[in-house]
Structure formats: structure tokens, C-alpha cells
Amino acid sequence: MDNNNLETITFGGGCFWCVESCFNMLKGVESAISGYSGGHKDNPTYEEVCTGETGHAEVVQITYDPKIISYEQLMDVFFFLHDPTQLNRQGNDIGTQYRSVIYYKDDTEKVKAEEAIKTSEASGRWSGTYVTEVTKFEKFWSAEQYHQGYYNENPTQPYCSAVVGPKIQKFKKHFGELGMLNAE
């Protein structure tokens, strides 16, 4: 990858364990880091974010090479991995920390995010109106180290085996067929 031309994107689509694991498998993604954005407390902890009182969302910050994977392809993966019609939840994960949100850095990115939402909504992948927030990026706080690569380190943990694992298998099948995954 050409490190001089790497870009970043930050978004939340429910529990970051699944989102981070999947994005780290994609060609063109240098890193996907679990963390927190959108809140009012500096350097929040996982326990604080889980209360919903800090205003943060669980997010993943992705560093990628746009010559290998486009913003639009990342958005397609993002909308594949979570249900953007669920307000402040993903399945049984309930709270504002699980909201669907795209953080943009400038007006160009804001327009691209809004267009990605319209494109995905028009595709009919999810029935209902999208509730994905498009919010100005302010700060990313990396989650605690034990959250990084959590699924890979804990695949038999009950939540991972029941929720994350099946989602990752569906992701691998779909995006593997499209030739978008790194070799294992």
C-alpha cells in the first residue's frame, strides 16, 4: 500500500467487535481500529460508553488506500454489516452507543456519505427508512487494547459465537465471492 495516499473514515454500525473484524479482512484496508466518537467526555472507557451517558458511539476507524478500495466500496460493506434502519440499536444491543453513524471530515465527505445512504436505501437491501446519522468528525478515542481484534482472540465467547461469528461468515461469503478479501 502507498502510505502517502492513505485515507481514514470513521463510522459506527453497532458493536465494534464485528465491524472491526470484517474491515480488517478487506484488500486495501491497512487497519481498522475499534474506538469511540461523538461524545462529550475525553478519553472514555468502555464501561463509561456502555452506560450511554458519554454520548459516544462504538465506532471503527479505518485507514485505507483509495487506489485499492474506494469510499463507495467501504460504504457498501458498512451497510452490509448492520441494519441502518434500527435507531440506537443493532439486534439485542440497545443504546445510543450502538447507533448507525458516519463521521465526515469535510463537505466533500459529507456529500459522499449522504449519497452512499441514498444508494444503499434505494437498493432495497434493508426495508424501512435509514436512520444513519451523518455527523462532523471531531475526535476518535481508541478503545482499550483488549477490544482490538476481539473476535479473533475470543471466537468462542458466547456473544462472539452467537452473533459475531455468523455475521462474519455471511460477510466472508459475500465479499469473498467479489474478490475483495485478503488471502487467509
Side-chain angles (χ1 to χ4, degrees), residues 11-26 29-35 58-63 74 77-78 81-82 140 142-154 160 164 167-168 171 181-182:
F11 43 64
C15 176
F16 48 36
W17 293 342
C18 174
V19 178
E20 176 248 341
S21 294
C22 291
F23 277 97
N24 272 319
M25 293 180 212
L26 291 169
V29 171
E30 180 180 272
S31 67
I33 300 170
S34 294
E58 285 192 17
V59 298
V60 175
Q61 187 165 77
I62 296 158
T63 302
L74 292 169
V77 173
F78 172 66
L81 291 174
H82 81 292
F140 171 79
S142 183
E144 295 81 351
Q145 187 57 42
Y146 74 91
H147 288 296
Q148 311 307 327
Y150 188 87
Y151 175 77
N152 292 340
E153 298 297 321
N154 302 280
C160 288
V164 181
K167 191 179 280 193
I168 288 174
F171 163 83
L181 302 182
N182 290 313

Side-chain angles (χ1 to χ4, degrees), residues 84-153:
T85 68
Q86 292 188 344
L87 183 61
N88 297 328
R89 72 178 299 159
Q90 283 302 301
N92 291 327
D93 294 332
I94 300 170
T96 57
Q97 67 271 29
Y98 300 113
R99 67 188 177 270
S100 177
V101 58
I102 302 168
Y103 291 97
Y104 66 90
K105 292 185 180 66
D106 57 34
D107 288 341
T108 301
E109 248 187 35
K110 180 180 182 186
V111 169
K112 287 167 74 172
E114 290 167 343
E115 288 175 3
I117 290 169
K118 288 178 191 170
T119 299
S120 184
E121 200 168 28
S123 76
R125 178 181 288 158
W126 300 99
S127 61
T129 303
Y130 282 31
V131 295
T132 303
E133 295 176 13
V134 178
T135 303
K136 179 79 171 146
F137 177 83
E138 291 183 20
K139 181 76 178 167
F140 171 79
W141 302 97
S142 183
E144 295 81 351
Q145 187 57 42
Y146 74 91
H147 288 296
Q148 311 307 327
Y150 188 87
Y151 175 77
N152 292 340
E153 298 297 321

Side-chain angles (χ1 to χ4, degrees), residues 148-184:
Q148 311 307 327
Y150 188 87
Y151 175 77
N152 292 340
E153 298 297 321
N154 302 280
T156 60
Q157 188 261 13
Y159 182 86
C160 288
S161 61
V163 177
V164 181
K167 191 179 280 193
I168 288 174
Q169 292 311 311
K170 182 178 169 186
F171 163 83
K172 287 170 87 172
K173 180 179 182 339
H174 180 77
F175 290 97
E177 289 172 358
L178 295 175
M180 292 177 63
L181 302 182
N182 290 313
E184 288 190 44

Side-chain angles (χ1 to χ4, degrees), residues 59-71:
V59 298
V60 175
Q61 187 165 77
I62 296 158
T63 302
Y64 68 100
D65 185 339
K67 291 179 183 167
I68 299 172
I69 189 166
S70 70
Y71 181 92

